Amino acid sequence: MKTIERVEQAQDVLAYVDGVYQTVKDRNPNESEFHQAVKEVFDSLMPVLEKNPVYMKQGILERIVEPERIISFRVPWVDDQGNVKVNRGFRVQYNSAIGPYKGGLRFHPSVNASIIKFLGFEQIFKNSLTGQPIGGGKGGADFDPKGKSDMEIMRFTQSFMTELSQHIGADVDVPAGDIGVGAREIGYMFGQYKKMRGGYEAGVLTGKSIDSGGSLARKEATGYGTVYFVEEMMKEKGKSFEGSTVTVSGSGNVSIYAMEKAMELGAKVVACSDSAGYIYDKDGINLATVKQLKEVESKRISEYVTIHPEAHYFEDCAGIWSIPCDIALPCATQNELDEMAAKILVANGVVAVGEGANMPSTHAAVQMFLNSDVLFAPGKAANAGGVSVSALEMAQNSARLAWSFEEVDAKLHDIMKNIYRNSMKAAEEYDAPGNLVVGANIAGFIKVADTMVMQGVI
Ligand code: NDP
């Protein structure tokens, strides 16, 4: 193609992408997180559309941003004082081109349509990257589990599942955990689903307890997977976790197991956080204490310093990024790492950033890392280990088998290496060598887009 034609075609593609993005904003006003997630993917796709105009003719972008179905529902429940409370539940069944909808449930007061749609949209590409047959979905409720008794949690989750059960199934939509939803909540939801269906359909939820058909290594999968991915990325530059100083935000499921694997690989993890503040232990955090405080006692991370007085506690969780480190792993929540934090990390010589959480870095922070030659692993690729092992849990449930921890962990490790390789390859093919943001978006998109073309306009 002559240069002038190429330029004209690039302009057409840009106008098309801008037009679709504008429609997304008009149709979904005041949903900034959702807009951010769409923009990040669209920014990567120009060269793909130039090379494959069929995607534009087939309206793939217009279709992929529009969820196949969104369910929003009332969740009434009774607190310990006998008061009736009402929360809003959501499930977005985003895209089922390559498999049943799959994605976690988040219970947090900040949950709204924008958050659920951004997470569901990201999930489409993440699930595609895993190489497993799973579509994209996400759900949750604006329920705050903090300070609730066990009975309140049970009554809420049962009410939530009473409605959700009408919309899910092992071959339809398979939820799992996310922020505020761990093994306890999944257990109550599975119990309620089983009672309502009158049958033992283990494959309807993942993240179950081992005795209910859960998979070994699911609890560890997202954190371990993030570290496996970052390890791969660093290996290429002759670097490793061994001897590195690491900061990890959050102290929930993803954070704890990212810390565990980083320590196993010889790193010193000096800081972690919760939504109130962060702890800094220059000689290395005692993970057993963090696990006891968070997994067993559901206490605040500030309690750490009463057990380890040599450590320091600081209010304001965002301050964690001011600690000098070689590797930063944001594992808490969306937009927790902004441009200012990125600048400080870069100034302090950070070598690699791996996103264990979903979209934890703002757009400006990501650009800062990419422009500063920091090795950057986007969440879509780096935190895909959780959903990968969820898909392995589904496979075990279908086969009525249980694999050993080592077997699942080895499969997880292979999957993360493959995601890294495929993302790097796509980045190379589309003239963005080494840019894993672009590579992950493209590799995840093409498989879904091709399948949508093959399945017709539905
Ligand atoms: P958890 O609920 O187990 O832990 C979340 C942690 O993040 C808690 O320590 C919480 O602190 C902290 N946190 C929440 N909000 C903020 C905030 N505004 N600022 C700082 N810290 C905050 O959730 P997960 O570990 O499961 O999930 C963490 C992230 O990883 C989310 O983005 C999730 O979508 C993503 N993810 C999770 C997967 C999984 O398998 N669980 C899979 C893939 C991605 P506090 O207790 O004070 O609220």
Side-chain angles (χ1 to χ4, degrees):
M1 201 189 292
K2 289 191 202 118
T3 314
I4 192 144
E5 280 172 18
R6 211 176 286 141
V7 170
E8 277 171 11
Q9 191 203 21
Q11 283 168 346
D12 287 349
V13 169
L14 187 62
Y16 166 72
V17 173
D18 280 350
V20 181
Y21 181 58
Q22 192 53 48
T23 308
V24 168
K25 290 205 289 187
D26 293 344
R27 261 201 197 140
N28 306 275
N30 309 315
E31 297 189 356
S32 60
E33 296 86 359
F34 177 50
H35 302 165
Q36 183 184 344
V38 170
K39 179 147 181 40
E40 194 239 279
V41 173
F42 277 15
D43 280 352
S44 303
L45 295 182
M46 309 288 179
V48 181
L49 299 172
E50 280 171 33
K51 213 168 170 179
N52 308 279
V54 64
Y55 295 148
M56 291 191 283
K57 188 153 186 281
Q58 289 278 330
I60 295 296
L61 290 200
E62 289 93 329
R63 287 198 271 151
I64 214 164
V65 293
E66 194 61 30
E68 290 174 15
R69 193 172 299 106
I70 301 183
I71 302 133
S72 161
F73 52 95
R74 180 172 69 199
V75 190
W77 56 284
V78 181
D79 72 11
D80 287 345
Q81 287 70 46
N83 303 307
V84 174
K85 303 276 179 184
V86 176
N87 285 94
R88 181 172 288 175
F90 295 92
R91 186 72 186 166
V92 53
Q93 299 183 329
Y94 223 119
N95 191 297
S96 61
I98 62 170
Y101 311 107
K102 181 92 198 82
L105 297 169
R106 177 178 292 193
F107 291 168
H108 193 272
S110 64
V111 163
N112 57 31
S114 174
I115 300 278
I116 297 300
K117 276 152 73 180
F118 117 64
L119 290 165
F121 184 69
E122 294 253 298
Q123 199 81 43
I124 303 170
F125 309 101
K126 180 189 307 191
N127 292 3
S128 164
L129 280 171
T130 68
Q132 292 156 305
I134 39 178
K138 199 81 190 187
D142 60 355
F143 171 76
D144 188 355
K146 279 205 195 84
K148 302 290 189 298
S149 70
D150 194 44
M151 286 298 104
E152 288 176 326
I153 298 279
M154 186 178 77
R155 287 195 291 274
F156 174 81
T157 50
Q158 287 178 338
S159 177
F160 182 85
M161 181 49 87
T162 301
E163 174 65 31
L164 190 68
S165 64
Q166 300 178 49
H167 310 286
I168 60 176
D171 294 317
V172 180
D173 183 354
V174 184
D178 191 79
I179 291 180
V181 178
R184 174 180 60 167
E185 291 74 19
I186 293 288
Y188 291 148
M189 281 192 265
F190 183 55
Q192 183 72 356
Y193 183 84
K194 188 162 63 71
K195 182 178 167 75
M196 295 187 69
R197 301 286 298 180
Y200 206 102
E201 299 169 22
V204 70
L205 285 169
T206 59
K208 299 180 295 294
S209 70
I210 303 304
D211 291 338
S212 299
S215 176
L216 288 164
R218 172 61 187 91
K219 183 175 65 172
E220 293 82 357
T222 310
Y224 278 21
T226 300
V227 171
Y228 290 149
F229 190 96
V230 173
E231 187 191 25
E232 230 27 55
M233 183 171 75
M234 294 183 76
K235 214 188 273 174
E236 207 146 292
K237 300 274 174 196
K239 303 195 156 97
S240 74
F241 274 88
E242 177 77 46
S244 296
T245 299
V246 180
T247 53
V248 185
S249 63
S251 47
N253 173 258
V254 179
S255 175
I256 285 176
Y257 292 95
M259 291 195 264
E260 183 166 279
K261 186 51 74 179
M263 289 175 185
E264 264 178 49
L265 294 179
K268 183 167 73 167
V269 179
V270 294
C272 71
S273 61
D274 61 20
S275 58
Y278 69 94
I279 53 163
Y280 172 59
D281 198 335
K282 73 171 173 22
D283 297 323
I285 280 174
N286 184 317
L287 191 59
T289 304
V290 176
K291 282 188 179 178
Q292 177 67 23
L293 288 173
K294 289 294 181 179
E295 292 188 327
V296 183
E297 298 173 17
S298 297
K299 287 194 172 151
R300 309 307 297 157
I301 200 67
S302 54
E303 297 282 328
Y304 182 94
V305 296
T306 60
I307 301 160
H308 299 283
E310 70 283 5
H312 300 277
Y313 173 73
F314 302 90
E315 279 177 5
D316 173 23
C317 47
I320 192 169
W321 308 122
S322 64
I323 298 170
C325 64
D326 304 307
I327 303 168
L329 303 176
C331 294
T333 193
Q334 65 275 353
N335 292 329
E336 53 162 314
L337 197 167
D338 63 10
E339 187 179 15
M340 182 55 80
K343 255 187 202 157
I344 297 171
L345 280 167
V346 170
N348 283 337
V350 72
V351 173
V353 176
E355 295 188 324
N358 284 311
M359 210 168 74
S361 316
T362 63
H363 181 70
V366 175
Q367 295 314 310
M368 170 73 58
F369 293 136
L370 295 177
N371 295 335
S372 311
D373 284 333
V374 171
L375 296 169
F376 180 73
K380 210 174 274 135
N383 71 32
V387 76
S388 300
V389 173
S390 275
L392 298 180
E393 183 174 332
M394 290 161 72
Q396 292 169 81
N397 292 154
S398 295
R400 300 187 190 279
L401 284 173
W403 298 330
S404 68
F405 186 98
E406 290 69 26
E407 221 172 333
V408 179
D409 190 34
K411 288 183 201 296
L412 167 67
H413 207 151
D414 278 350
I415 290 169
M416 298 315 295
K417 283 183 186 169
N418 276 334
I419 296 175
Y420 174 75
R421 272 197 294 268
N422 292 339
S423 302
M424 286 295 274
K425 190 163 158 254
E428 185 82 39
E429 261 173 44
Y430 286 91
D431 292 334
N435 184 330
L436 285 163
V437 176
V438 168
N441 284 335
I442 292 178
F445 172 81
I446 288 179
K447 180 172 161 188
V448 178
D450 285 346
T451 313
M452 287 173 75
V453 171
M454 277 187 273
Q455 291 177 357
V457 180
I458 52 168

